[in-house]
Amino acid sequence: STGVAGGNDFQWCFSQVKGAIDEDVAEADIISTVEFNYSGELLATGDKGGRVVIFQHEQESKNRPHLRGEYNVYSTFQSHEPEFDYLKSLEIEEKINKIRWLPQQNAAHFLLSTNDKTIKLWKISERDKRAEGYNLKDEDGRLRDPFRITSLRVPVLMPMDLMVEASPRRIFANAHTYHINSISVNSDHETYLSADDLRINLWHLEITDRSFIFEEPEDPSSRSFFSEIISSISDVKFSHSGRYMMTRDYLSVKVWDLNMENRPVETYQVHEYLRSKLCSLYENDCIFDKFECCWNGSDSAIMTGSYNNFFRMFDRNTRRDITLEASRESSKPRATLKPRKVSTGGKRKKDEISVDSLDFNKKILHTAWHPKDNVIAVAATNNLYIFQDKIN
Amino acid sequence: MAGADGDDSLYPIAVLIDELRNEDVQLRLNSIKKLSTIALALGVERTRTELLPFLTDTIYDEDEVLLALAEQLGNFTMLVGGPEYVHCLLPPLESLATVEETVVRDKAVESLRKISQEHSPVDLEVHFEPLVKRLASGDWFTSRTSACGLFSVCYPRVSSTVKAEIRQHFRTLCSDDTPMVRRAAASKLGEFAKVLELDYVKSDIISLFTALASDEQDSVRLLAVEACVSIATLLPQEDLETLVMPTLRQAAEDKSWRVRYMVADKFSELQKAVGPEITKNDLVPAFQNLLKDCEAEVRAAAANKVKEFCENLPEDSREQIIMTHILPCVKELVSDTNQHVKSALASVIMGLSTILGKDNTIEHLLPLFLAQLKDECPEVRLNIISNLDCVNEVIGIRQLSQSLLPAIVELAEDAKWRVRLAIIEYMPLLAGQLGVEFFDEKLNTLCMAWLIDHVYAIREAATCNLMKLVEKFGAEWAQNTIVPKVLGMANDPNYLHRMTTLFCINALSEACGQDITTKQMLPVVLKMSNDQVANVRFNVAKSLQKIGPVLDSNALQTEVKPVLEKLATDTDMDVKYFAQEAISGTTGSSVLGFLTLSICWPACVQRVFRDKGLKLNNGGHMRMSAKHDLQRRGDFVQENVSAAGVLRQARMLQSLHAAPGFAVNDCLILCCCTVKVT
């Protein structure tokens, strides 16, 4: 059991928070995607400013054994710049919509990052040697007399401080008419998918000027005004085992067995109490928020976000669920996260928060679960919270 | 060598070495490409002890630099001191074989394969084979994929103990965790099988082949199909049924269309590899299934192989198999829902007539040809028309002509100009097969109509078509049928049509000969020198230059020269320019055009032209057939042309502009080449 609800085996506790604590949040600093790599060694975030920040897991040591959930900045780079499409008079935001790591193939790490239109393949590599010695200039850069060269020098490699470089390797552009929402790397390690509102493109990682397009015509069946919006799927994830698929719509998370396409095998309500608020959520545009969802390493639990900086976890075996909050108040080292409850009836119990006092500006859209350990990363506006389990 | 004051001969080398680390990729690349010069200056020992260790660690560089480095190192044996020291090249190539960029890795492997041959048997075991093992057991898939390409080059030259190890490594890689390594192994399976002893082929390779052919990834399984061809060729006939066929049958029915596509695509090779008996019993039904596959891609690939498959059937039962098994499927494909399938079939179906003979063709194939000639998709019709020669030999084209004509007319008027262009290109062929009478009666009007098409490419092709027709039917035919019509257009109110007259004259003068050119064409051209549109006037100048060689010197002096001199004083700049060009080309000698080419073009360019089969002949212009060669730009970039040479080229390009049959875009291509060279 994963014990997402705490109790018997473990509770979630605070580990780290990244990002400034100012009340005034710069738009560019808002985190727009979070993703662990295959080993959990690296954690990448993308933000609205087009930057990618990669955190590296801190090595555990004897004197600091609790570092399992500690990540420190490894590399930061500007992945996308704002652009302007002159043909369509359209601004293209630099916001990173999605990051996907590639399975590691050599000493370097590779990831795909995308904004609305352009997908880029980045290589993150380390360098610890530097070549020294020129023929035509001295160590201090002064030029030598070219006619007084008496011997040839071949550069020598010298050790230097570790440097982490991010270099763009491929740019996959001009293939999407609508905004790219999602990318996913195939198990064959040579192709990947990118999806916009209408189409899915299939790319080869080594070919940037060609992709195959899949398009499905819209289902013309008529539906009520809100039901169409709230039933539209904001995220899809395959389980690690490959057998299940999870979809997130506005109010719920559904788990589907690939062997049975007609209905989901499990349905979890994320914030059913909002059903009566759809009208005001439409008016403040919140109804269009795209909540993502994720599996834990063993596919036994799932996590997704909500409003008021709440995020929810569901244990698939015990059917227990829990609501937790990512907040500065509980950001003390090793502090246990207290379960939160939203009151739906008239009477509000102690420790409960009423639906009407939820802050809809604070929302958790992006979360990530370490592929092996109980370490989670939760993006709340410009802050990245990292939580880990604490064995009782 | 180096005196007290230094040695200025070292300077260029010093620059090259420093530029190995220049910030500008292009300069680094240039230096890497001259690595042999650096190595030569350093001498073999310093190359081994200093240059190679430095290069081993330059794997941070850009792909194109690494690619050039990987290539250079394959030719470095003499520069490190000969075969005795060739193993010094292994460390840099080993690190290049692990980079993430496939092209670089592949080039490193290619160089490693090359230098493996320069290792003595002892060195191969002491240095090379350990490298292969290291790569094969590397942490990352990049090194393991590279290892796959090296087994087959060292296997034949090592001891039996090492051979056993190599086989073991290959086995391990075939079941690697990452699909990339399994793909690399699967793609080298056939090659590795060829160097193995037959017993090991049976014991080792077959089991690996079977495993890869049922891999969970279809991208691996489809590579096993290719290996199947090589393996089947190696095995004695009696073993094929038990060792290969179960896997091949399974591949032909694979649940992934990509695998089935591969089977269809390799069908002829497979058919030859397994021999006639298995073909009859196994491949015929498999081929039928592929022709009826649910995926259009597979059907199209199979349809492409229909003719080849039928040709390679054993002679004794060929006709019977085709008639009872293949033809029914082919009939269905004629009305397939997918146009790619139909057009694939249309490109080969005519070939069946030679195999089946006259009677079967008339009875069974002709209805299919006719149906395809009426297909809604132009490409299908075009493919049928372009292969008419096959049928012509068997039943004569007359059988088809009644259906052919409407099909041709429809294509000739198709809304897509590329379709019109395609049918024009078949016109000379059709004319030859249908004969002059049929042509005059039915097709001549079409050919003339294309001359006033609103798309330039069509008018240009139509002009060229006329030239080919005249070459086929002769000058007399031209004089009676097309020349009057062409000359009539000189009075057209549309200047584009008047220009077409000039283009036609350019194309036809040589084929029509001196008499027609002087008596009929020249007066029209001369008269057009008074045209009010400047474009027409400068094309008159160009035309005069072009038809000059066909005219006699008297006409040149008395008629052409005065007109050109008048045009040379035209108010329009371009008219003046081309008139002057023509004068310098026509009046200097009786031979016109580009005799001067051989003087003006740099020697290296001339060499390129000669190598490519381009003629700098006294007729002056490059033939159309050479166009495609020109488009292979790379060939020009290789040449070292000096700045002065480039200038000279540019000047020549301007005059090339005037050469008929040499369109502006060709000049642009040449210009691009020129710019690249600078």
Side-chain angles (χ1 to χ4, degrees):
Chain A
S1 162
T2 55
V4 293
N8 298 344
D9 21 36
F10 72 86
Q11 290 179 305
W12 288 99
C13 71
F14 173 82
S15 175
Q16 277 182 302
V17 59
K18 308 285 183 191
I21 33 172
D22 296 349
E23 276 302 300
D24 286 340
V25 177
E27 179 78 6
D29 292 336
I30 296 177
I31 296 173
S32 51
T33 181
V34 187
E35 184 80 5
F36 279 105
N37 77 343
Y38 283 71
S39 64
E41 175 73 16
L42 300 175
L43 171 64
T45 63
D47 63 26
K48 288 195 171 177
R51 285 162 303 196
V52 170
V53 182
I54 297 168
F55 300 94
Q56 187 183 36
H57 182 231
E58 200 61 36
Q59 291 301 314
E60 286 175 65
S61 63
K62 272 192 182 143
N63 19 345
R64 307 183 68 195
H66 59 278
L67 288 174
R68 197 156 46 88
E70 282 206 13
Y71 283 78
N72 286 317
V73 175
Y74 177 64
S75 171
T76 303
F77 59 94
Q78 189 75 34
S79 169
H80 287 71
E81 301 277 358
E83 284 175 89
F84 193 80
D85 183 336
Y86 293 96
L87 284 179
K88 294 181 187 141
S89 269
L90 204 70
E91 257 180 278
I92 303 169
E93 279 185 88
E94 65 272 36
K95 179 187 153 209
I96 308 294
N97 291 341
K98 201 69 98 184
I99 291 175
R100 284 285 179 265
W101 291 91
L102 265 54
Q104 198 170 356
Q105 48 184 324
N106 57 13
H109 296 272
F110 290 81
L111 61 80
L112 290 165
S113 66
T114 186
N115 67 352
D116 287 340
K117 295 287 176 208
T118 307
I119 305 160
K120 293 185 181 177
L121 173 66
W122 290 90
K123 174 187 182 182
I124 293 102
S125 55
E126 296 182 351
R127 185 188 285 208
D128 59 0
K129 285 193 197 119
R130 190 162 52 96
E132 278 181 10
Y134 283 98
N135 286 293
L136 302 180
K137 55 188 177 191
D138 292 329
E139 298 314 314
D140 49 11
R142 254 181 314 141
L143 289 179
R144 291 202 188 117
D145 179 356
F147 297 103
R148 293 189 171 273
I149 293 169
T150 53
S151 64
L152 293 170
R153 293 178 71 184
V154 176
V156 187
L157 290 154
M158 306 298 278
M160 65 167 188
D161 288 344
L162 183 70
M163 192 168 84
V164 181
E165 288 179 316
S167 46
R169 302 289 299 177
R170 297 271 190 286
I171 294 175
F172 308 88
N174 305 325
H176 281 279
T177 318
Y178 302 95
H179 291 178
I180 301 172
N181 298 319
S182 180
I183 38 181
S184 177
V185 182
N186 194 342
S187 63
D188 67 5
H189 295 199
E190 65 174 2
T191 54
Y192 76 93
L193 301 173
S194 62
D196 62 26
D197 293 345
L198 187 63
R199 295 195 183 109
I200 296 172
N201 281 21
L202 174 65
W203 300 85
H204 192 284
L205 279 164
E206 297 196 347
I207 303 168
T208 59
D209 59 355
R210 209 173 342 138
S211 69
F212 296 92
I213 297 175
F214 304 93
E215 187 176 328
E216 199 181 9
E218 203 181 357
D219 182 4
S221 68
S222 60
R223 282 171 165 178
S224 83
F225 186 65
F226 288 133
S227 68
E228 189 160 319
I229 302 174
I230 64 168
S231 65
S232 74
I233 291 165
S234 55
D235 195 21
V236 182
K237 292 271 163 63
F238 280 108
S239 64
H240 296 87
S241 69
R243 166 147 188 199
Y244 298 100
M245 191 171 81
M246 160 166 64
T247 61
R248 172 74 156 93
D249 54 45
Y250 191 60
L251 294 178
S252 65
V253 184
K254 296 188 175 94
V255 175
W256 304 74
D257 188 326
L258 291 191
N259 299 326
M260 182 174 76
E261 70 269 21
N262 59 342
R263 63 191 158 81
V265 288
E266 294 155 35
T267 302
Y268 301 97
Q269 303 304 335
V270 179
H271 36 218
E272 185 62 19
Y273 45 78
L274 296 179
R275 195 174 283 278
S276 58
K277 301 258 170 233
L278 290 177
C279 240
S280 52
L281 288 166
Y282 178 75
E283 274 157 20
N284 63 12
D285 276 354
C286 280
I287 202 166
F288 301 107
D289 283 336
K290 285 177 176 153
F291 290 99
E292 293 174 5
C293 50
C294 64
W295 300 88
N296 72 343
S298 59
D299 299 333
S300 62
I302 54 187
M303 169 168 62
T304 189
S306 176
Y307 292 103
N308 205 52
N309 275 0
F310 286 175
F311 58 98
R312 304 261 292 146
M313 287 187 199
F314 304 94
D315 188 315
R316 299 181 55 213
N317 300 322
T318 62
R319 294 294 176 131
R320 282 187 297 188
D321 67 283
I322 189 171
T323 306
L324 299 170
E325 182 182 0
S327 74
R328 285 281 173 185
E329 287 72 57
S330 53
S331 304
K332 292 179 200 78
R334 313 282 294 149
T336 310
L337 297 188
K338 291 204 184 67
R340 307 301 305 255
K341 274 209 164 58
V342 179
S343 73
T344 47
K347 274 187 202 156
R348 186 162 62 92
K349 290 182 206 144
K350 191 175 162 255
D351 288 345
E352 284 190 352
I353 178 166
S354 119
V355 179
D356 297 317
S357 44
L358 290 175
D359 184 345
F360 288 102
N361 290 320
K362 290 182 177 170
K363 46 192 145 195
I364 290 176
L365 301 174
H366 317 284
T367 58
W369 205 313
H370 190 291
K372 289 167 189 152
D373 293 331
N374 275 323
V375 173
I376 55 171
V378 172
T381 323
N382 66 326
N383 289 129
L384 180 70
Y385 289 86
I386 297 169
F387 304 109
Q388 66 180 88
D389 60 351
K390 180 161 137 188
I391 315 289
N392 289 336
Chain B
M1 186 171 84
D5 293 335
D7 180 354
D8 57 0
S9 72
L10 287 181
Y11 179 69
I13 309 290
V15 173
L16 280 180
I17 295 178
D18 282 4
E19 286 186 348
L20 284 172
R21 291 152 60 206
N22 198 292
E23 276 177 30
D24 184 342
V25 183
Q26 196 53 50
L27 292 178
R28 291 206 300 277
L29 192 58
N30 289 345
S31 266
I32 284 283
K33 285 185 174 163
K34 298 204 177 82
L35 210 55
S36 52
T37 314
I38 299 177
L40 214 53
L42 288 172
V44 293
E45 194 169 338
R46 289 192 72 192
T47 300
R48 291 198 300 265
T49 55
E50 296 179 48
L51 185 62
L52 289 179
F54 167 68
L55 294 173
T56 305
D57 265 303
T58 52
I59 55 160
Y60 301 109
D61 213 324
E62 299 282 333
D63 302 334
E64 46 183 334
V65 178
L66 297 182
L67 183 66
L69 176 60
E71 187 172 8
Q72 294 283 315
L73 291 177
N75 304 314
F76 237 59
T77 310
M78 292 321 289
L79 297 163
V80 292
E84 198 183 333
Y85 293 99
V86 66
H87 58 86
C88 298
L89 297 172
L90 298 180
L93 284 170
E94 183 175 352
S95 58
L96 288 167
T98 63
V99 301
E100 67 276 6
E101 198 57 52
T102 316
V103 281
V104 177
R105 280 205 313 271
D106 288 351
K107 188 57 86 179
V109 169
E110 193 185 313
S111 289
L112 279 169
R113 288 168 70 114
K114 208 172 186 182
I115 64 168
S116 73
Q117 303 307 319
E118 285 156 351
H119 281 70
S120 68
V122 175
D123 279 351
L124 202 69
E125 284 200 21
V126 176
H127 298 288
F128 197 86
E129 205 269 336
L131 162 130
V132 178
K133 276 194 223 163
R134 271 196 306 281
L135 288 173
S137 47
D139 279 344
W140 310 113
F141 89 83
T142 44
S143 79
R144 301 199 298 275
T145 49
S146 292
C148 293
L150 297 174
F151 294 122
S152 65
V153 290
C154 48
Y155 189 85
R157 297 178 59 209
V158 291
S159 67
S160 55
T161 352
V162 180
K163 278 184 175 176
E165 286 173 21
I166 291 180
R167 288 195 305 271
Q168 180 54 44
H169 275 293
F170 193 80
R171 259 199 303 277
T172 314
L173 293 182
C174 283
S175 54
D176 196 275
D177 279 346
T178 64
M180 286 79 92
V181 177
R182 297 202 301 277
R183 276 200 292 275
S187 68
K188 299 291 177 199
L189 188 63
E191 175 190 299
F192 190 54
K194 281 184 193 155
V195 299
L196 244 60
E197 298 78 359
L198 185 60
D199 283 346
Y200 290 121
V201 173
K202 289 189 197 173
S203 61
D204 283 29
I205 295 289
I206 294 298
S207 66
L208 297 174
F209 166 62
T210 316
L212 289 167
S214 42
D215 195 278
E216 57 166 20
Q217 293 279 347
D218 60 353
S219 55
V220 177
R221 296 203 297 277
L222 64 87
L223 290 168
V225 175
E226 273 191 287
C228 185
V229 177
S230 326
I231 294 172
T233 324
L234 295 172
L235 292 173
Q237 186 71 31
E238 63 268 23
D239 288 329
L240 287 175
E241 181 54 48
T242 48
L243 299 180
V244 176
M245 285 317 290
T247 310
L248 181 56
R249 276 185 215 117
Q250 175 194 323
E253 291 168 2
D254 198 282
K255 64 178 192 285
S256 159
W257 71 266
R258 295 211 293 169
V259 178
R260 300 196 304 274
Y261 172 89
M262 199 57 150
V263 175
D265 195 48
K266 297 269 169 248
F267 217 85
S268 305
E269 288 93 326
L270 287 167
Q271 185 185 6
K272 282 178 199 149
V274 298
E277 274 315 303
I278 295 181
T279 297
K280 257 196 277 185
N281 303 331
D282 261 285
L283 293 193
V284 171
F287 194 62
Q288 284 177 290
N289 286 338
L290 293 169
L291 288 172
K292 290 184 214 153
D293 199 276
C294 57
E295 292 295 331
E297 279 81 359
V298 180
R299 292 199 302 278
N304 252 323
K305 301 286 167 188
V306 163
K307 181 191 159 205
E308 237 178 303
F309 179 76
C310 294
E311 261 174 358
N312 294 330
L313 285 170
E315 211 166 325
D316 54 346
S317 49
R318 185 189 292 156
E319 191 174 321
Q320 181 260 327
I321 293 176
I322 298 175
M323 295 308 292
T324 50
H325 299 291
I326 307 298
L327 206 59
C329 302
V330 169
K331 278 180 185 160
E332 276 176 48
L333 290 181
V334 167
S335 49
D336 199 278
T337 48
N338 184 292
Q339 66 172 63
H340 299 291
V341 177
K342 287 186 289 187
S343 82
L345 182 69
S347 64
V348 296
I349 190 173
M350 313 289 270
L352 290 180
S353 50
T354 29
I355 306 173
L356 287 177
K358 188 173 178 181
D359 293 341
N360 280 328
T361 301
I362 293 177
E363 191 184 341
H364 297 285
L365 293 177
L366 199 57
L368 304 182
F369 301 157
L370 296 177
Q372 292 217 298
L373 270 178
K374 295 189 188 93
D375 198 276
E376 58 184 8
C377 164
E379 199 166 312
V380 176
R381 285 174 265 151
L382 272 176
N383 282 346
I384 291 288
I385 290 173
S386 63
N387 286 297
L388 280 176
D389 47 340
C390 316
V391 195
N392 200 16
E393 290 161 18
V394 183
I395 56 168
I397 210 163
R398 291 277 165 183
Q399 291 272 4
L400 276 173
S401 56
Q402 283 319 308
S403 308
L404 207 49
L405 194 65
I408 293 172
V409 172
E410 210 177 306
L411 288 168
E413 290 162 358
D414 196 281
K416 295 190 194 73
W417 69 267
R418 285 177 201 281
V419 174
R420 300 202 295 278
L421 187 63
I423 189 75
I424 294 175
E425 274 161 16
Y426 297 124
M427 219 18 106
L429 180 78
L430 282 171
Q433 287 170 359
L434 292 165
V436 66
E437 287 146 49
F438 187 91
F439 182 86
D440 281 345
E441 194 180 324
K442 315 275 188 187
L443 300 178
N444 196 11
T445 346
L446 282 181
C447 291
M448 299 316 289
W450 281 321
L451 287 175
I452 51 168
D453 197 281
H454 61 276
V455 175
Y456 177 74
I458 300 296
R459 298 199 297 275
E460 191 190 23
T463 313
C464 181
N465 175 42
L466 287 188
M467 182 176 83
K468 288 182 188 153
L469 290 175
V470 175
E471 278 166 5
K472 200 157 254 150
F473 293 151
E476 196 183 332
W477 173 83
Q479 191 174 8
N480 295 330
T481 51
I482 59 171
V483 172
K485 290 185 189 169
V486 165
L487 296 183
M489 281 163 59
N491 300 317
D492 197 286
N494 185 335
Y495 85 96
L496 291 172
H497 298 170
R498 300 202 292 281
M499 292 216 303
T500 305
T501 299
L502 292 172
F503 297 147
C504 286
I505 288 172
N506 294 347
L508 296 176
S509 61
E510 209 174 313
C512 288
Q514 198 182 59
D515 195 46
I516 299 177
T517 308
T518 317
K519 289 190 181 141
Q520 298 188 18
M521 295 178 175
L522 183 62
V524 176
V525 179
L526 295 175
K527 195 178 153 216
M528 289 170 87
S529 68
N530 297 318
D531 200 286
Q532 55 184 1
V533 178
N535 299 43
V536 177
R537 295 200 301 280
F538 76 65
N539 273 297
V540 166
K542 285 181 179 182
S543 287
L544 288 173
Q545 179 169 9
K546 172 69 183 78
I547 64 174
V550 188
L551 302 171
D552 62 57
S553 58
N554 184 35
L556 273 178
Q557 289 302 325
T558 59
E559 298 184 69
V560 175
K561 200 178 164 193
V563 170
L564 283 176
E565 279 167 355
K566 193 184 125 214
L567 289 174
T569 60
D570 199 280
T571 48
D572 187 277
M573 226 175 73
D574 293 324
V575 178
K576 252 193 230 176
Y577 172 80
F578 285 110
Q580 277 156 4
E581 282 287 302
I583 290 169
S584 62
T586 46
T587 49
S589 79
S590 61
V591 181
L592 303 182
F594 300 105
L595 190 64
T596 43
L597 263 178
S598 53
I599 306 158
C600 283
W601 287 75
C604 57
V605 177
Q606 285 181 41
R607 196 173 64 245
V608 176
F609 276 33
R610 206 168 45 240
D611 293 348
K612 302 282 126 216
L614 298 175
K615 288 196 187 102
L616 300 172
N617 60 6
N618 61 1
H621 62 272
M622 295 177 202
R623 309 296 306 183
M624 295 291 283
S625 60
K627 272 172 138 186
H628 296 294
D629 291 305
L630 278 175
Q631 285 164 1
R632 271 192 249 121
R633 267 161 273 181
D635 297 326
F636 285 78
V637 181
Q638 298 292 327
E639 295 295 320
N640 256 330
V641 181
S642 67
V646 170
L647 276 177
R648 281 199 299 273
Q649 275 193 57
R651 220 178 303 130
M652 287 319 297
L653 285 174
Q654 287 179 322
S655 44
L656 264 180
H657 221 298
F662 202 83
V664 178
N665 57 343
D666 298 317
C667 292
L668 284 179
I669 289 164
L670 268 180
C671 283
C672 292
C673 304
T674 317
V675 173
K676 269 207 156 171
V677 174
T678 50

